[in-house]
Amino acid sequence: HHKILFFLILFFFFFLAAVAAYCSFPTYNKLLKVYVLFGIGLILVAVFKDGVNMPDYQGFVDNIEGNIVADIDIKEPAFFAIKWIADFCPGYRVLIGLFLYAIFGVTLKLIAIKQLTEFWFVALAVYISNYYMLHDLIQIRAGVASGFLLLCIKPLYERNGKRFLLWALIAFLFHYSAIIIFFLWFLSPKFFKKEIWLSIIPVAYILYFIGFDIITLLTYIPISGVQTKLIGYQRITELGLNGWDAFDPFAITYLVKIFVLYFIVLNINKIQRRNKYTYILTKIYALALAVYLLLGCVPVVANRTKELLAIVEIVLLPSIAYIGVPRSVTKAVPLTFSLLIMVLLIFNSKLLNPDA
């Protein structure tokens, strides 16, 4: 019953955002107020969710209560900082931990949406349909890292190295998978060769089918935390324990996203004229989908990396509205897509399966 209620709340937020996307607000202040109210609502749901049935939740409780720190899951520095704060109120550790992660995870994404797209509420709907569930309700440490990744886009575009490094470093302190953000600096935000970005997915599929294994290379990265995690994840895969992170190169949600990527790339110049961040967002989205195949030999890492990078979806998809006219019709495209993904996720998800 809790689950049904929970999904109803999510759908309620999604439809509210979709409705808000079609409202014209009399003043900027009113618009901002409604936007902030959404943020507060999403933070509250993230804090007071019934986490018992959610993957990752029990581990979080055990770790923040200080019962165990599992060897494989070496916690990041930010986790210990949050635990230190939570320790001031021993009776409310879990609540304070959830609250701090939710405030960071949700607020950062709302700030980034405001920076990167004019369609705030379409972006909000896209966010609620997929990444809010995944990052801010389940993988809450990755949720903060993905918020900082979005904040990296503006300095990346402006070539502001200091600001970019600061956000990327904080993301890394929240989740080690965010090490991949540092490499995004080498993407050019001003040029886009369609041929390269159209061929990246087919090339990734070919490498996947010939058994290309990039993870073993990565275990040589001389950062002990990263090494330990990767080797641990490899072990999980060998033991066949990654049922909670299945790898499926032909999953319907994945194929839908590839289709969306191609649709955007084929219309990219039209969109870029209206939103200057389109080139860089599209490149990161393409990499997210390609990386999934390249890391397929270790599904946990494949999933986590794809999910972290593909957070750009929440500001990229609303730009589809620029492709045609009238706006009222074209805005419906990202909204419909998100609804589809949301329904697929809920029916495929471990969230609906009480034994998982």
Side-chain angles (χ1 to χ4, degrees):
H1 294 304
H2 278 303
K3 283 185 181 176
I4 305 294
L5 178 68
F6 172 67
F7 288 129
L8 285 176
I9 292 171
L10 280 183
F11 273 116
F12 176 67
F13 271 104
F14 177 84
F15 285 116
L16 275 185
V19 168
Y22 279 96
C23 291
S24 50
F25 293 88
T27 63
Y28 180 77
N29 259 357
K30 287 250 163 57
L31 170 73
L32 206 54
K33 269 184 192 152
V34 174
Y35 191 63
V36 169
L37 278 175
F38 264 102
I40 294 168
L42 292 173
I43 289 169
L44 291 176
V45 172
V47 175
F48 296 106
K49 63 175 185 262
D50 173 25
V52 181
N53 293 318
M54 290 199 172
D56 287 16
Y57 182 75
Q58 196 49 50
F60 174 76
V61 172
D62 287 339
N63 281 319
I64 204 149
E65 293 285 12
N67 307 343
I68 50 163
V69 173
D71 172 308
I72 176 169
D73 223 10
I74 294 164
K75 287 289 172 278
E76 294 80 5
F79 180 83
F80 289 110
I82 284 180
K83 181 169 165 34
W84 178 78
I85 295 169
D87 281 343
F88 284 110
C89 305
Y92 296 98
R93 277 198 194 106
V94 173
L95 208 57
I96 291 169
L98 287 174
F99 188 62
L100 290 170
Y101 273 110
I103 278 193
F104 274 114
V106 174
T107 311
L108 291 170
K109 291 186 192 71
L110 264 66
I111 292 170
I113 285 172
K114 217 166 135 308
Q115 271 180 2
L116 303 171
T117 174
E118 65 166 305
F119 302 119
W120 298 1
F121 291 110
V122 181
L124 213 48
V126 177
Y127 167 45
I128 293 164
S129 70
N130 185 343
Y131 281 94
Y132 175 64
M133 278 194 267
L134 194 69
H135 274 175
D136 296 297
L137 297 178
I138 300 174
Q139 300 165 19
I140 54 180
R141 302 190 337 271
V144 179
S146 66
F148 279 111
L149 185 151
L150 287 176
L151 282 189
C152 285
I153 304 293
K154 195 167 181 276
L156 205 171
Y157 179 84
E158 292 164 356
R159 306 316 280 168
N160 178 345
K162 279 188 195 143
R163 178 70 52 85
F164 176 85
L165 271 176
L166 175 68
W167 296 145
L169 188 64
I170 300 175
F172 180 68
L173 296 177
F174 269 95
H175 206 277
Y176 287 142
S177 64
I179 192 168
I180 197 163
I181 298 176
F182 293 102
F183 298 103
L184 302 179
W185 182 255
F186 302 106
L187 295 173
S188 156
K190 308 273 165 76
F191 300 101
F192 194 93
K193 272 201 153 53
K194 280 189 187 178
E195 305 73 47
I196 292 178
W197 296 96
L198 285 172
S199 59
I200 190 168
I201 302 291
V203 168
Y205 266 113
I206 291 165
L207 288 171
Y208 168 71
F209 285 122
I210 60 175
F212 178 70
D213 173 14
I214 201 171
I215 292 282
T216 308
L217 290 173
L218 293 178
T219 50
Y220 297 114
I221 294 175
I223 300 174
S224 63
V226 175
Q227 275 180 333
T228 319
K229 267 205 154 163
L230 285 175
I231 291 164
Y233 282 147
Q234 271 186 317
R235 214 165 291 143
I236 285 183
T237 307
E238 283 155 20
L239 296 170
L241 296 176
N242 50 3
W244 48 281
D245 255 314
F247 175 80
D248 179 1
F250 300 109
I252 180 83
T253 44
Y254 181 64
L255 296 176
V256 169
K257 288 178 184 204
I258 292 176
F259 171 76
V260 168
L261 170 72
Y262 273 75
F263 185 63
I264 288 170
V265 171
L266 293 171
N267 292 284
I268 195 144
N269 295 331
K270 199 179 281 186
I271 307 175
Q272 172 75 15
R273 282 199 291 276
R274 303 299 306 271
N275 183 339
K276 61 184 179 182
Y277 299 113
T278 307
Y279 285 168
I280 192 70
L281 292 170
T282 307
K283 286 177 179 183
I284 297 171
Y285 197 46
L287 285 177
L289 299 176
V291 153
Y292 180 66
L293 295 169
L294 297 179
L295 302 176
C297 45
V298 182
V300 185
V301 183
N303 277 297
R304 297 292 164 104
T305 315
K306 175 190 70 153
E307 286 156 6
L308 180 70
L309 290 176
I311 188 69
V312 296
E313 185 175 283
I314 69 179
V315 282
L316 179 61
L317 290 191
S319 301
I320 291 175
Y322 289 128
I323 290 175
V325 288
R327 280 286 174 273
S328 54
V329 176
T330 51
K331 257 190 210 175
V333 176
L335 291 172
T336 311
F337 165 77
S338 303
L339 187 60
L340 172 73
I341 290 284
M342 190 174 181
V343 171
L344 284 171
L345 264 180
I346 287 175
F347 285 103
N348 288 337
S349 80
K350 325 212 175 33
L351 299 175
L352 266 187
N353 169 7
D355 311 323

